[in-house]
Amino acid sequence: MCNLDSGRHRGHHQPRTVTRGECDLVKARCGPASHQRMPLSDLETKALDEHFLICSYVHGYTASQGDAALFRQFKCAPPSHLCHLLRWYTHIHSFGRESASFPAAKKESLTLLINDKEVTIMVNNSMEAEGQGEAGQPPAPEEDIVTPHTVQASSNKGIDYDKLVDRFGSSRIDEALLERFERLTGHKPHRFLRRNIFFSHRDMHRILDAVESGKKFFLYTGRGPSSNAMHIGHLIAFIMTKWLQDVFDVPLVIQLTDDEKYLWQKDATKKDNSLEHYHSLARENAKDIIALDFDVNKTFIFSDVDFVGGAFYENVLKVQKHVTFNQVKGIFGFDESSSIGMIMFPAIQAAPSFSSSFPFIFGNKKDVPCLIPCGIDQDPYFRMTRDVAPKIGFQKPALLHSTFFPALHGASSKMSASDSTSSIYLTDTANQIKKKINKYAFSGGRDTVEEHRELGGDCEVDVSFMYLTFFLDDDEKLEEIRQQYSSGKMLTGELKAELIKVLQKMMAEFQERRKLVTDETVKQFMTPRSLKF
Ligand code: TYM
């Protein structure tokens, strides 16, 4: 049996057998190249979403100018509830200017059946859309976009983290920092640090100075409860935080920004957009976070909706008074149509960085240093926080930034909860994990077993290998797998089997702990109280 996937565009781009029923749904036919149809209607995008549920491309099994032409009809990414269309969009986007070399489209239109109606969408080469580049892409961003609400790589190789450090003005986590870390704590740095998954920091030396002089600091991290479905990418910052809490024995505050998710939700087709909905998601997400084994004696979790007020709100106000609209416009891209809720929200994410926001934990100490482990997408909030801190008499928080856990279909996008074929959710069963990895994980394997044996696989683009770097703790085993795969001794199927084993074990343990988290446990974590440290 051949264990090798048959090519680079494996995973969800793999040719699939279209069943008879599915063929009834999607019928491509030639049509006149008469007019440009923009923007696409709701019915058209819905029909396309169904098309991409079962097909990888506009026509056939490879990308063509039909895909490029359809792509040009979008001014921005489709909304997240059209997850199959969004997956296709992200994939075509990842080709950047390479899409100019796609082969010609087989047909000039695509006719789909939806609700018994025929919908014809033109996909011919001559179609152009406003404001887009000559090669048919929305002007590929000249540099990677990394903000709390958009992560978009400028090339299909993914985010250039090295450049990001320079652009953001943070510092690289280097050997010297890791050595100092090990010397001070007596612990070998966590694999996320050893492997540069946490790759950048701000002021980490100041935190280590405090530790060296016998002072405590506190940890702060958070989650925006946008859905019930947290994915394993969300775990990265929390796993790091838990490890730091254990190693340094320090208190931790976890903010659940139900307010943020309510304010940012604009998708009118979503079943429930109410504030109550996001508030209840905060409690559900708290259960997932608690299941990572945080110590209830040292951890306070809060929902903004429940908690903002008193000393915390005093700090929110101080931040609000010292940051102008112009500044947040520059940092977050707000404009005149942004709601005033969005404009003021960054002050709420800033406030937990200051120990005086939590008098029941820190008494009247206003200067306990704060360390924030998070994905680098959250850095804009904390650039603003660090800028304002000295103006209101507080210390700047320190940060540890992680890279993104990639989507199953490749490193050009981060794992995102809205696309079930690109994500592994914390609720996925052992069987679902196996199926998703086998079916969707982008492979760096070669087209044939012979070629693979001769040339070896490419670990740099292979998603299964990337996932192992996050979750296989054993450095020697990881290196052995790297060598075996890149020399061609190990086939893609075998590599995937290794990953499946690791993930199934990790998730089974997680899900066992999750079962034990009750409403009562959540209440304990979410009650303002003093913490041990
Ligand atoms: P949210 O819910 O988008 O993400 C929670 C944490 O997960 C990180 N993250 C990822 N890390 C690696 N790979 C991925 N694919 C991936 N997707 C998300 C995020 O960077 C974040 O660390 N506004 C915040 C909530 C928040 C917060 C904070 C986060 C409030 N205060 C302090 C970090 C630190 C949000 O919506 O996160």
Side-chain angles (χ1 to χ4, degrees), residues 225 256 258-259 262 274-284 303-307 526:
L256 302 172
D258 34 17
D259 49 353
Y262 169 69
S274 66
L275 182 55
E276 292 73 21
H277 173 63
Y278 292 100
H279 188 204
S280 71
L281 288 181
R283 280 170 188 272
E284 282 311 300
S303 118
D304 286 342
V305 169
D306 290 334
F307 183 66
M526 296 186 78

Side-chain angles (χ1 to χ4, degrees), residues 164-173 177 199-208 370-372 374 376 378-387 396-401:
L164 211 57
V165 169
D166 295 333
R167 251 177 62 209
F168 281 14
S170 59
S171 310
R172 287 175 184 77
I173 292 181
L177 180 63
F199 68 105
S200 151
H201 75 101
R202 293 185 190 275
D203 273 345
M204 190 60 206
H205 280 291
R206 193 164 47 76
I207 295 289
L208 295 182
C370 173
L371 172 63
I372 309 173
C374 60
I376 186 106
Q378 299 298 311
D379 189 65
Y381 284 115
F382 301 116
R383 287 206 292 273
M384 184 203 82
T385 309
R386 286 169 56 86
D387 186 55
K396 295 179 179 194
L399 284 119
L400 282 176
H401 298 123

